[in-house]
Each structure stands twice: as structure tokens, then as C-alpha cells.
Amino acid sequence: MKTWLKKFLLKKNLYYPARYSHLFTIYQRLFKPAEIKKQQDEIAFYQSFLPSCKLIFDIGANDGHKTEAFLAIAEKVICCEPDTTNFHLLQVRFRNKKNRVMLENSAVADKEGISELYIHHPGSAFNTLSSKWKNILQEDNMQKWNEQVNLHKHKP
């Protein structure tokens, strides 16, 4: 039932607005306290070595998981995310925090220009600009983090 509901909501573009709503936060507090504890532990981890500050950059923000933790430490977070699927997710997730979260649909590298993005699949945390990381992920043709990783080039 849960899988069917998620697929249905994804098809209707309602899953992420619901997933990142105040109502879902209340649901988690009531029925998923372990998830809330994980989030609190992650915030405590970052606070153990990052002092409160005005600004944090989240480079390769992916789905905004760390951005959410950084908001407990910084007044503002700038997210850079080149993957369009993840970027749209970030737009939905932080739609009510535009004064604290700035989103950039771009990659960050050691030089200016256009680069190839290696894609595992849209929205994947494996997507990268680094050919070294790509090679590490693919070198032994084995599963990493419970899935086979094959990346292909994608030019923006």
C-alpha cells in the first residue's frame, strides 16, 4: 500500500510537497521518533566542530539532507546542485525557507567553464564531475551501497 501511494503521489507531483510539509513533520514526530533522533544526532555532529555562523555552503546538496542540518547552525545556506532532478526537489523542500536557503543549479569545480556531469541516474547521490570518483565507483563492477553503479556522460 505504501509503495503504491508513493508511486501515485510521485506521478501527480505531490509526493515531495507532502514529504517536506509541516504535516509530515508532525507525522514523523508522532510515528517515527527514530527519524527525528537521527536528524538531531546529525545536527549535534555538525555542531561539534562547526560554530554558529552566518553562512554555510552545501556543495552537491543532493536532496537537502545536510542543508536541513546546516540550518540549525547557520543563518543562511547556499546550495549548489547540478542535477536537475535534485535541484527541483530542493526547490520544493525549501520553498518556505527562501530567506534562509539560496539555491544554485550549478556545479562547483576548481576552474570556470562547462564540464561533463557523470550521471548514474537523475537524482542519484553518485552523480559527479570527478572522473576519479566515477572510476572508483565502476572499477570492480560490484555493487556499492546495495546497487550497481554505472555512470554515463551528460552535458548541461
Side-chain angles (χ1 to χ4, degrees):
M1 174 68 171
K2 206 171 167 181
T3 306
W4 175 87
L5 180 59
K6 182 177 179 179
K7 284 181 183 179
F8 174 79
L9 292 173
L10 281 167
K11 187 186 271 189
K12 300 292 184 185
N13 292 321
L14 296 172
Y15 177 75
Y16 292 112
R19 170 68 180 86
Y20 297 114
S21 69
H22 294 297
L23 187 60
F24 190 80
T25 302
I26 292 167
Y27 164 79
Q28 277 193 313
R29 289 187 194 281
L30 293 172
F31 301 107
K32 303 260 184 176
E35 288 299 313
I36 299 296
K37 174 80 169 96
K38 274 196 237 177
Q39 293 168 0
Q40 292 168 339
D41 289 348
E42 184 161 23
I43 291 167
F45 169 73
Y46 288 116
Q47 286 176 328
S48 74
F49 60 88
L50 289 174
S52 292
C53 58
K54 293 202 180 281
L55 180 66
I56 292 179
F57 286 84
D58 189 352
I59 307 302
N62 195 258
D63 66 358
H65 177 81
K66 289 183 179 27
T67 302
E68 197 68 53
F70 293 156
L71 285 171
I73 299 166
E75 291 177 26
K76 187 170 216 155
V77 179
I78 297 176
C79 299
C80 298
E81 176 54 55
D83 180 277
T84 55
T85 299
N86 280 328
F87 184 75
H88 292 304
L89 191 153
L90 291 168
Q91 289 176 311
V92 170
R93 184 171 189 169
F94 298 109
R95 66 192 178 276
N96 297 322
K97 297 180 181 177
K98 291 179 181 176
N99 60 333
R100 296 195 59 211
V101 178
M102 183 180 159
L103 303 174
E104 285 292 325
N105 188 204
S106 59
V108 176
D110 60 346
K111 58 188 172 203
E112 190 175 340
I114 295 175
S115 187
E116 293 174 334
L117 181 64
Y118 296 101
I119 299 285
H120 177 231
H121 59 75
S124 173
F126 294 123
N127 298 346
T128 184
L129 294 179
S130 171
S131 57
K132 287 180 185 177
W133 179 238
K134 172 193 171 285
N135 292 338
I136 288 168
L137 289 171
Q138 295 183 158
E139 71 185 1
D140 55 10
N141 218 15
M142 300 201 43
Q143 287 194 351
K144 309 273 193 305
W145 296 277
N146 298 320
E147 60 182 301
Q148 185 74 32
V149 179
N150 292 305
L151 295 118
H152 59 278
K153 293 179 183 179
H154 172 75
K155 282 197 176 191

